[in-house]
Amino acid sequence: MAGGVGVLDYNNDGLLDLYFTNGARLPDFDKSQSKFFNRLYRNNGDGTFSDMTMEAGLAGSNYSMGLAIADYDNDGNQDILVTGANGFQLFHNTGNGKYKDVTREAGLLRTHPELASGFSVSAGWFDYDNDGNLDLLVVNYLKWNPSIDPVCETKGIRSYCVPDAYAGLPNLLYHNNGDGTFTDVSLQSGLLEQVGKGMGVAFGDYDNDGYVDVFVANDTLRNFLFHNNGNGTFTESAVLDGVAYPENGKRVAGMGADFRDVNNTGYPDIFETAMLGDIFPYFRNLGNGSFEYDSFPSHIARATGRLTAWGTGIYDFDNDGWKDIFTANGSILDNSEAINGVPFRLANSLMKNNRDGTFSDVSLDCGKDFLTPNAHRGAAFGDLDNDGRVDIVTSSLNSNPEILMNRTKNENHWLLINLVGTKSNRDGLGAKLKLTTANGVQFNHATTAVGYASSSDKRVHFGLGTAAKADKIEITWPSGVRQLVADVPANQVITIREPVPSKK
């Protein structure tokens, strides 16, 4: 299942760096050998990267799975939460190119230690109460350790056991106290009562009530949709709102997810990766607080029926003003050829948005490097060379990562928006953006929780198509402050700072 990949600017030089999680020796979870270290690579700005793991103090000490990146203490530096099969770790960026493990002193192990030291896959940062401090959601998988692994077979062949062989776990929610510590609010928020087998998490305000909601992709269990009630509690509403199951009512092996406006309606949709035979669910937001299963009308079913995928991201890869969908593909079992008749290593997929509610699989047109088969898992997204084209970084089991530089050739324009919150959290996560050009209106929001066990660029990307400027950028900050920026020339990375309300 491992592992995640993150893109972040850890040293604030304007270039995205890379962080990969890694495992440990089993069955004792020993990570002391360098081959098991997590790895941080600094972007040198010339197409190369330098390994800064030891200098930064980010080798890790757990069997690492995923990661979540954001500036949780509003000091201008990107911090990292690393999930794992034997617990998670919080690394605080001290601002000098180094990190410090503050898991214990931040209070993350104070309550529910059996969950905090268990099997967590994904995590995400979001400000659920809009107080200006980023809170932390840790997505737990199931009760497992090497000593209780049963022997399982499929078609008489030894294989990994299905998730039904294990009990699930609830997720954990930590409230940011604003002083470098956190309070576990899993119980009072209502999250602790929902037991799942979570693998992916994504955030979006699906009913536009000003509070960020949470989608969790569960493995062989129905999905969770935690509606933010705005009072510190959440209501699990996946069944009521139409995202618990596909239309046939069959549970899917949910892996990764993205929660983003696909069709430029102003309401974020949900896309989820799954396994062979599931058909990847695409839930279209109807704008009334509910969703419609749209995998077949959108032609996503046609493109995904024979795939297993993990990481995913909804981004405008050709800058035409319409977001496309990427999936990081790879079979679950290393002997899947014998069991399912499908290779273990698969090529990735890209589905182009046709602007009419449908998608076309254009994977074969993306170049030979894109089509390299591998046991892909994590995927993170960001513009590594600041040329306005969203690049992709993937991880694969027991293999090299892939840095897929976007070389799309067209005349389309773009904007990359770096948000700086003042009253809101400094990263601006949760901010909603409406962009108007001569070609129409489109929407996006700031988030780093994208896909499976991975973390993407906090900057917000827009493709402008043929428009040479944005007529208007309207931002609704998590604080409730509304901001208008007009006549912004295309093809630039622009920083927008949240205005400080004037004192009366």
Side-chain angles (χ1 to χ4, degrees):
M1 292 171 58
V5 54
V7 296
L8 73 160
D9 184 2
Y10 87 99
N11 55 358
N12 289 329
D13 65 352
L15 298 170
L16 292 178
D17 312 297
L18 308 179
Y19 187 57
F20 296 90
T21 65
N22 207 346
R25 188 178 66 194
L26 293 175
D28 59 359
F29 293 119
D30 186 284
K31 202 181 178 77
S32 60
Q33 298 179 57
S34 61
K35 68 179 180 179
F36 295 125
F37 290 171
N38 303 338
R39 292 286 175 180
L40 174 70
Y41 294 97
R42 184 189 65 211
N43 188 336
N44 297 323
D46 59 1
T48 69
F49 292 80
S50 296
D51 188 341
M52 305 300 292
T53 306
M54 303 312 294
E55 291 90 334
L58 283 174
S61 58
N62 292 357
Y63 191 111
S64 302
M65 296 292 299
L67 67 165
I69 300 170
D71 177 10
Y72 75 82
D73 59 348
N74 294 328
D75 67 353
N77 301 306
Q78 297 288 286
D79 311 298
I80 305 174
L81 187 286
V82 179
T83 62
N86 60 332
F88 54 78
Q89 291 182 274
L90 177 61
F91 293 98
H92 176 250
N93 188 331
T94 60
N96 56 0
K98 298 183 183 301
Y99 283 79
K100 178 185 177 183
D101 184 342
V102 297
T103 314
R104 187 169 298 278
E105 65 187 73
L108 297 178
L109 305 180
R110 195 167 297 141
T111 55
H112 303 109
E114 75 288 353
L115 294 175
S117 61
F119 197 158
S120 55
V121 175
S122 290
W125 297 99
F126 72 128
D127 187 359
Y128 75 86
D129 55 356
N130 293 337
D131 67 350
N133 298 307
L134 288 174
D135 311 298
L136 174 65
L137 181 73
V138 177
V139 177
N140 288 314
Y141 188 42
L142 42 74
K143 293 182 180 179
W144 173 87
N145 67 65
S147 67
I148 62 169
D149 236 2
V151 174
C152 295
E153 293 184 349
T154 302
K155 299 179 180 179
I157 303 171
R158 178 71 185 270
S159 66
Y160 288 101
C161 300
V162 297
D164 290 344
Y166 309 90
L169 294 171
N171 303 312
L172 293 171
L173 178 63
Y174 296 95
H175 178 261
N176 189 332
N177 299 323
D179 60 0
T181 69
F182 294 81
T183 298
D184 187 332
V185 294
S186 309
L187 178 61
Q188 51 267 52
S189 67
L191 265 66
L192 200 64
E193 64 189 57
Q194 301 294 334
V195 176
K197 297 177 181 179
M199 292 183 69
V201 63
F203 302 109
D205 180 6
Y206 73 94
D207 55 355
N208 277 339
D209 65 353
Y211 292 93
V212 178
D213 310 300
V214 183
F215 178 81
V216 175
N218 284 311
D219 191 1
T220 68
L221 292 178
R222 69 172 184 85
N223 298 319
F224 290 156
L225 179 63
F226 294 106
H227 176 262
N228 189 334
N229 299 321
N231 60 1
T233 69
F234 292 79
T235 299
E236 203 293 296
S237 61
V239 173
L240 181 65
D241 292 337
V243 299
Y245 309 95
E247 64 184 5
N248 61 8
K250 176 179 176 285
R251 298 177 299 170
V252 303
M255 309 284 201
D258 201 357
F259 201 156
R260 211 178 290 269
D261 184 2
V262 172
N263 47 10
N264 291 331
T265 63
Y267 294 91
D269 312 291
I270 297 172
F271 177 78
E272 179 184 14
T273 54
M275 70 172 288
L276 176 70
D278 278 340
I279 296 175
F280 299 172
Y282 167 49
F283 300 104
R284 182 168 53 85
N285 194 327
L286 299 178
N288 59 2
S290 65
F291 295 78
E292 181 172 87
Y293 179 73
D294 207 39
S295 295
F296 284 93
S298 66
H299 301 168
I300 286 175
R302 180 187 306 168
T304 64
R306 293 289 297 167
L307 296 175
T308 295
W310 305 71
T312 186
I314 301 172
Y315 288 86
D316 184 358
F317 292 105
D318 58 358
N319 286 334
D320 68 348
W322 295 82
K323 300 179 193 70
D324 315 296
I325 300 176
F326 169 88
T327 62
N329 304 332
S331 295
I332 297 172
L333 303 176
D334 51 11
N335 56 356
S336 61
E337 186 81 65
I339 292 177
N340 298 317
V342 177
F344 178 46
R345 295 173 176 83
L346 301 175
N348 294 320
S349 296
L350 185 63
M351 290 173 280
K352 178 176 171 54
N353 192 328
N354 296 324
R355 314 183 194 185
D356 60 1
T358 68
F359 291 82
S360 296
D361 187 343
V362 295
S363 309
L364 295 178
D365 301 324
C366 292
K368 63 180 180 63
D369 292 334
F370 185 91
L371 294 172
T372 301
N374 223 325
H376 299 105
R377 292 299 186 260
F381 306 85
D383 186 356
L384 298 180
D385 53 0
N386 291 329
D387 69 349
R389 295 174 289 189
V390 176
D391 307 304
I392 306 169
V393 184
T394 70
S395 62
S396 297
L397 295 188
N398 303 315
S399 183
N400 292 330
E402 295 167 349
I403 301 175
L404 300 172
M405 300 302 295
N406 189 339
R407 301 303 189 203
T408 303
K409 290 183 172 62
N410 57 37
E411 300 301 318
N412 290 337
H413 301 291
W414 55 273
L415 278 174
L416 197 57
I417 302 172
N418 180 46
L419 298 174
V420 179
T422 53
K423 187 177 180 182
S424 303
N425 68 87
R426 186 182 175 99
D427 282 346
L429 300 190
K432 293 180 282 191
L433 290 81
K434 176 183 178 182
L435 183 140
T436 304
T437 70
N439 295 328
V441 176
Q442 55 180 299
F443 301 84
N444 210 337
H445 65 273
T447 182
T448 61
V450 179
Y452 165 76
S454 297
S455 190
S456 291
D457 187 1
K458 69 184 182 70
R459 300 176 298 181
V460 183
H461 172 267
F462 285 97
L464 305 186
T466 58
K469 70 170 183 174
D471 297 326
K472 292 188 296 185
I473 302 174
E474 300 169 72
I475 305 172
T476 303
W477 293 87
S479 64
V481 170
R482 295 179 182 271
Q483 183 176 9
L484 172 64
V485 182
D487 296 321
V488 180
N491 305 333
Q492 63 170 319
V493 180
I494 180 174
T495 294
I496 300 179
R497 183 177 296 272
E498 179 184 15
V500 179
S502 59
K503 295 182 180 180
K504 295 182 179 180

